[in-house]
Amino acid sequence: MKAITYTEFGGPEVLRLEEVEEPHAGPGQVRLKVLAAAVNPLDHKIRNGWMPHMAPAFPAIPGLEAAGVVDEVGEGVTGVSVGDEVLAWTVTGAYAEYALATDFAAKPADLDWDVAAALPVAVETSARVLDALEVGAGDTLLVHGAAG
């Protein structure tokens, strides 16, 4: 399969289009045919080596967020079938024809692929903040300057 890869930290000049081995869904994973991949600021920080705790093994495929169609379902995965449309936080990199994910959600039918691909990090961040603030039913929350 074709994928964007990099073998050293750096700017966009380290990115290469390469032929790599297709990943296959293992236990707890789905494989999706990637139809859209997001470009997230976190991807840039990881690729530049600024996030040592998230440093990938080389060669690496960038991209945390993707949307696509499930084409393999690993052992133990329930609630999703081959052919389902999903958005996902990938574990193998989204800048590829296929990606693996353990965290995914159904893509609403009326949501464009590019918008769906941009949701996983924003949704996870929002959920984490709401949990940390213990926001509950009946609470009012003011979000001011939510630009990133």
Side-chain angles (χ1 to χ4, degrees):
M1 78 169 178
K2 290 187 170 121
I4 300 295
T5 68
Y6 62 106
T7 57
E8 63 183 309
F9 294 120
E13 70 279 357
V14 302
L15 299 173
R16 302 282 180 264
L17 179 62
E18 302 281 350
E19 275 294 324
V20 299
E21 191 173 323
E22 280 186 22
H24 292 282
Q29 297 177 327
V30 298
R31 182 174 89 162
L32 56 138
K33 168 73 173 146
V34 176
L35 297 179
V39 177
N40 187 289
L42 188 54
D43 297 323
H44 162 77
K45 293 172 186 174
I46 293 168
R47 188 191 70 235
N48 276 283
W50 302 338
M51 306 288 290
H53 64 287
M54 296 181 80
F58 292 129
I61 298 172
L64 298 172
E65 303 171 284
V69 177
V70 173
D71 78 338
E72 287 183 8
V73 178
E75 181 181 332
V77 177
T78 60
V80 66
S81 300
V82 169
D84 287 354
E85 298 179 349
V86 297
L87 51 110
W89 182 293
T90 73
V91 295
T92 55
Y95 300 1
E97 291 181 279
Y98 296 94
L100 300 180
T102 55
D103 295 315
F104 55 90
K107 182 187 89 58
D110 60 344
L111 192 62
D112 291 339
W113 289 105
D114 56 344
V115 174
L119 287 178
V121 170
V123 169
E124 187 276 333
T125 301
S126 301
R128 188 168 18 97
V129 169
L130 292 173
D131 288 345
L133 294 174
E134 298 179 357
V135 175
D139 291 342
T140 300
L141 175 68
L142 169 65
V143 179
H144 188 305

